[in-house]
Amino acid sequence: MSSPFPSLISPYAAQVDRETFSWLRASRMIVDQAELERYREAAYGILGARTYPYAPYDALRLVTDWCVWLFAFDDAFCESDRRAAEIARALPQLLCVLDDSDAGIPVEGPFARAMRDIMARVGAAGDADQLDRWRTVTKDYLFAQVWEAANREDAVVPTYGDYVFMRRRTGAMLTVFALIDLATGHALTPGEWRHPWVRAITECANDVVVWDNDLLSYAKERDGVNAGNNLVSVLARHGDRSIQNAMDQIGRMRDQSVARMLSLRDELAGLGSEAVTAYVRGLEHWVSGSVAYSLTSTRYTRAWKGTTLPVRGHN
């Protein structure tokens, strides 16, 4: 699972990791002390430090706090036995926050309050277009969780086409990619964000990161309630493959997408946009940084004990 992209880490890594954990604890999204200790050990702040190594301190704190919000929401709602209806009933508060609505819905839950804090900081750090972009893709992420929960509830392993399409939303990558230009300090124009080549390289990076995650998290998920929502399971079930053959196929798929990113990078350089060039580099840091983090974080390494690392054979 090699990458042609640089693997760097922010000089603020240790400080931001401590402060993001303090933010998580104060948010009360996680209150169980044993679970909080697992979060501290997993060092989620290091993920932000590796995927946004270029970000100034304040921007790094923002993107890292958002990443830990996503992990906490994932653990509470998406890797649990929560039913689709339970997740759906949690949406009004979150959507009310994202719409900045005065609909009279009390924002009482810890996830909604923490999201409101994040949204205020996105709004303060970026312009109206950047905020609107983040709000839009975050809504897509939330609605996609209902689809994933319905699969868990009915023990459905989705088809390959359905899974690849929806994984681009359930993986939350667009929500973190939407903050790249905020972290670089070079805002994409609406036209640049919608440019077909920018959309294409974003989709490739999205696929690479979530497919790598499916490989790296399979040992953690294979015996859990979310086992069917993993590309390894999808290919094994619907492609009549062994687990190892499914992993090998994912390795080939991700390498093809990396090659496509390199080709698109050359095309996009011709646009002569500093913001686009910085955004593309931000995508590349996500590809390399997410793997570097996952290979060292206890969130994943604990599940590999006694097993062979599920990425052997890939280049």
Side-chain angles (χ1 to χ4, degrees):
M1 193 182 288
S2 64
S3 168
F5 309 128
S7 180
L8 305 174
I9 190 165
S10 168
Y12 303 114
Q15 177 184 356
V16 166
D17 183 50
R18 291 192 301 270
E19 292 174 356
T20 286
F21 177 73
S22 296
W23 179 85
L24 170 68
R25 185 170 50 194
S27 76
R28 298 192 63 78
M29 290 186 290
I30 304 291
V31 295
D32 179 79
Q33 290 303 309
E35 184 70 1
L36 275 172
E37 179 60 18
R38 285 191 288 272
Y39 267 68
R40 186 192 64 76
E41 292 176 354
Y44 292 115
I46 304 302
L47 173 63
R50 287 194 174 278
T51 53
Y52 302 88
Y54 50 84
Y57 167 77
D58 287 342
L60 184 58
R61 269 298 315 276
L62 170 57
V63 296
T64 299
D65 288 357
W66 176 238
C67 286
V68 86
W69 188 99
L70 290 166
F71 277 116
F73 188 83
D74 187 66
D75 287 341
F77 289 93
C78 311
E79 292 202 18
S80 67
D81 57 0
R82 294 283 187 103
R83 297 169 65 86
E86 291 182 78
I87 297 178
R89 283 194 290 270
L91 293 183
Q93 283 193 40
L94 299 175
L95 296 176
C96 186
V97 168
L98 291 170
D99 282 345
D100 198 17
S101 171
D102 57 358
I105 298 174
V107 178
E108 299 173 337
F111 286 95
R113 291 196 304 269
M115 177 179 279
R116 184 167 57 186
D117 173 61
I118 294 291
M119 192 178 82
R121 291 157 65 189
V122 172
D127 60 31
D129 287 327
Q130 290 170 303
L131 175 60
D132 188 59
R133 186 191 312 151
W134 177 80
R135 288 160 56 178
T136 298
V137 293
T138 298
K139 288 179 186 178
D140 277 353
Y141 160 76
L142 292 171
F143 286 124
Q145 301 314 311
V146 180
W147 172 83
E148 189 173 81
N151 290 339
R152 288 196 300 272
E153 192 172 324
D154 294 335
V156 168
V157 178
T159 65
Y160 172 80
D162 284 358
Y163 183 80
V164 169
F165 180 82
M166 292 300 291
R167 187 70 169 109
R168 292 168 181 157
R169 292 153 180 81
T170 62
M173 294 315 303
L174 290 177
T175 77
V176 296
F177 291 171
L179 299 179
I180 288 175
D181 68 335
L182 187 151
T184 66
H186 300 288
L188 294 167
T189 67
E192 287 171 338
W193 175 252
R194 294 193 299 267
H195 191 286
W197 293 346
V198 172
R199 290 170 64 94
I201 199 170
T202 298
E203 186 172 283
C204 287
N206 193 342
D207 287 343
V208 172
V209 175
V210 298
W211 294 343
D212 283 350
N213 181 260
D214 281 1
L215 285 169
L216 292 164
S217 63
Y218 181 71
K220 178 172 69 75
E221 296 176 348
R222 62 187 171 187
D223 297 321
V225 296
N226 213 34
N229 287 308
N230 185 297
L231 188 54
V232 176
S233 299
V234 169
L235 289 174
R237 171 71 64 86
H238 297 296
D240 195 26
R241 293 177 172 87
S242 69
I243 295 300
Q244 186 58 52
N245 285 341
M247 290 181 172
D248 290 342
Q249 176 63 24
I250 296 169
R252 290 188 290 271
M253 290 164 56
R254 63 91 60 191
D255 289 347
Q256 289 169 2
S257 288
V258 168
R260 178 65 172 147
M261 286 182 67
L262 291 170
S263 175
L264 286 164
R265 178 177 67 182
D266 294 339
E267 298 285 349
L268 285 162
L271 297 180
S273 166
E274 187 175 8
V276 169
T277 297
Y279 176 74
V280 169
R281 287 175 181 160
L283 293 176
E284 294 171 354
H285 282 299
W286 253 104
V287 170
S288 60
S290 60
V291 172
Y293 168 76
S294 299
L295 291 175
T296 58
S297 172
T298 57
R299 182 177 179 89
Y300 303 100
T301 57
R302 279 179 175 163
W304 299 336
K305 290 183 177 179
T307 69
T308 301
L309 187 65
V311 292
R312 68 185 188 276
H314 300 152
N315 296 320

